């Protein structure tokens, strides 16, 4: 039978052991949380994507499309001009206008908003069947609920840090993204190369051309949205002229025909001044140009809304 002194010693040892474990866990958590960041800034990337996917019925404006949209449209630059409540950048990498994505886009809109709006970024690769089957939205949407909950709360916390990622001379250029809570990925590429995208564009369309079925699907979705009172806008995000020409030649995409069909479905096509904006890689806007383009696009939207309201006023 143990003496009280022995029991006290065991109890004291157990307490010290427990305290040591707690302190170790806290130190480890603090070390992970405070470890140096890599090139990317803002939200951890897993948390950024999980938060974007989770929006349901809480936005006045949804910006839809591929990485040209998620890097090229900054909700914070548009909000003061539009005054429509929360603006969500719902763009994903390699995104096509698949049925699943088109069904998801309006779910983020607040049904109580009087000016529910969808803005579409239009590019030929948004209509490739291969990308409709395999894209970032599909991959994220297929994950289970627990994975999403973890990423929304703790995504990126335990990711290892690549000590060599930002070392001088690690590559010929540096690439980073600042992930914002509103869904914008602010892109930096140093040095910029405005023609870098041309070889990839030519290779992409050598294997596949845009699908008429996917174009039909987007037109039908626009018609449905406008019937439900949702305002729909579309735009082609800025590209350097040589890149835009190469994309049109390689893809054979009939922009004027698609623009006309979208207009018939109730969608308003917007064009704004872009000749003075920079390009990071020929396909995406760097952060300063994205911010300025977003302001100009929002101003064009606001002007159109003003004309709409004046026309409605004259009719009444």
């Amino acid at each position: 039978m143990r003496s009280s002194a022995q029991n006290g010693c065991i109890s004291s040892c157990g307490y010290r052991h427990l305290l040591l474990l707690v302190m170790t866990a806290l130190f480890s958590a603090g070390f992970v949380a405070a470890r140096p960041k890599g090139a990317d800034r803002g939200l951890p990337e897993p948390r950024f994507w999980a938060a974007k996917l989770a929006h349901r019925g809480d936005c006045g404006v949804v910006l839809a499309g591929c990485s040209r949209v998620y890097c090229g449209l900054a909700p914070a630059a548009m909000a003061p001009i539009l005054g429509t409540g929360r603006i969500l950048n719902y763009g994903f990498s390699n995104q096509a206008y698949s049925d699943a994505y088109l069904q998801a886009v309006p779910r983020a809109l607040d049904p109580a908003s009087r000016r529910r709006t969808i803005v579409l970024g239009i590019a030929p690769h948004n209509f490739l069947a291969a990308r409709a089957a395999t894209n970032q939205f599909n991959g994220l949407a297929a994950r289970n609920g627990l994975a999403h909950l973890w990423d929304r709360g703790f995504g990126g916390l335990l990711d290892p840090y690549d000590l060599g990622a930002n070392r001088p001379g690690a590559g010929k250029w540096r690439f980073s993204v600042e992930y914002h809570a509103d869904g914008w990925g602010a892109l930096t590429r140093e040095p910029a190369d405005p023609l870098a995208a041309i070889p990839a564009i030519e290779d992409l369309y050598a294997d596949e051309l845009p699908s008429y079925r996917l174009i039909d699907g987007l037109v039908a979705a626009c018609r449905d949205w406008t019937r439900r009172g949702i305002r729909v806008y579309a735009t082609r995000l800025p590209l350097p002229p040589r890149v835009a020409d190469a994309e049109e030649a390689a893809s054979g995409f009939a922009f004027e025909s698609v623009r006309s069909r979208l207009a018939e479905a109730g969608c308003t096509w917007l064009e704004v001044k872009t000749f003075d904006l920079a390009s990071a890689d020929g396909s995406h806007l760097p952060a300063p140009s994205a911010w300025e383009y977003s302001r100009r696009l929002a101003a064009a939207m606001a002007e159109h809304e003003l004309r709409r309201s004046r026309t409605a006023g004259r009719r009444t």
Side-chain angles (χ1 to χ4, degrees):
M1 187 174 189
R2 291 191 180 99
S3 66
S4 59
Q6 288 174 316
N7 287 335
C9 180
I10 292 172
S11 176
S12 176
C13 290
Y15 174 78
R16 287 198 300 270
H17 182 64
L18 178 61
L19 182 61
L20 180 62
L21 287 175
V22 170
M23 290 178 66
T24 301
L26 289 173
F27 175 80
S28 299
F31 174 78
V32 170
R35 76 190 189 283
K37 291 184 177 181
D40 294 340
R41 304 180 303 280
L43 288 178
E45 185 178 1
R47 198 178 308 175
F48 169 80
W49 294 113
K52 178 183 293 208
L53 197 70
H55 282 276
R56 294 289 188 279
D58 59 353
C59 302
V61 179
V62 175
L63 315 173
C66 60
S67 59
R68 289 182 184 174
V69 168
Y70 103 70
C71 291
L73 292 180
M78 303 174 76
I81 300 170
L82 294 178
T84 49
R86 174 179 284 163
I87 301 175
L88 171 67
N89 186 316
Y90 203 62
F92 294 86
S93 292
N94 296 323
Q95 194 58 49
Y97 286 118
S98 62
D99 293 340
Y101 184 62
L102 292 175
Q103 291 168 14
V105 167
R107 287 203 295 260
L109 289 172
D110 181 354
S113 173
R114 300 191 326 187
R115 290 173 57 189
R116 294 174 297 159
T117 303
I118 293 172
V119 180
L120 303 166
I122 302 297
H125 56 250
N126 297 147
F127 304 96
L128 295 179
R131 290 197 173 187
T134 306
N135 55 66
Q136 189 177 30
F137 171 81
N138 286 359
L140 291 170
R143 301 176 71 213
N144 64 53
L146 287 177
H148 284 297
L149 283 175
W150 169 265
D151 279 350
R152 286 174 63 187
F154 307 103
L157 186 65
L158 301 179
D159 289 352
Y161 173 62
D162 181 2
L163 293 173
N166 294 322
R167 69 185 185 277
K172 295 181 179 179
W173 46 270
R174 294 181 62 208
F175 174 93
S176 66
V177 179
E178 183 173 358
Y179 295 104
H180 292 253
D182 56 18
W184 179 41
L187 174 66
T188 299
R189 186 190 193 273
E190 297 176 348
D193 184 351
L195 302 180
I198 291 178
I201 285 172
E202 293 173 343
D203 288 345
L204 178 65
Y205 298 108
D207 296 328
E208 183 183 7
L209 295 177
S211 162
Y212 288 105
R213 186 190 70 80
L214 292 176
I215 296 171
D216 292 344
L218 180 62
V219 171
C222 288
R223 186 173 293 113
D224 175 61
W225 294 338
T226 54
R227 284 174 179 168
R228 291 158 54 187
I230 299 171
R231 293 163 166 80
V232 185
Y233 292 95
T235 190
R236 184 185 189 185
L237 275 85
L239 300 175
R242 283 180 58 185
V243 177
D245 290 345
E247 184 172 75
E248 291 175 31
S251 68
F253 191 70
F255 271 98
E256 287 304 315
S257 173
V258 172
R259 176 176 175 171
S260 176
R261 293 191 63 195
L262 290 174
E264 291 173 0
C267 174
T268 300
W269 189 280
L270 295 175
E271 292 188 8
V272 299
K273 182 183 74 171
T274 62
F275 70 87
D276 58 337
L277 300 179
S279 179
D281 57 4
S283 188
H284 304 92
L285 293 173
S289 289
W291 187 272
E292 180 58 27
Y293 179 73
S294 301
R295 289 183 64 259
R296 295 177 188 179
L297 187 67
M301 292 169 61
E303 182 179 349
H304 182 269
E305 289 297 325
L306 181 60
R307 290 199 304 269
R308 183 203 297 260
S309 63
R310 286 174 176 171
T311 301
R314 286 195 294 268
R315 287 174 181 170
T316 57

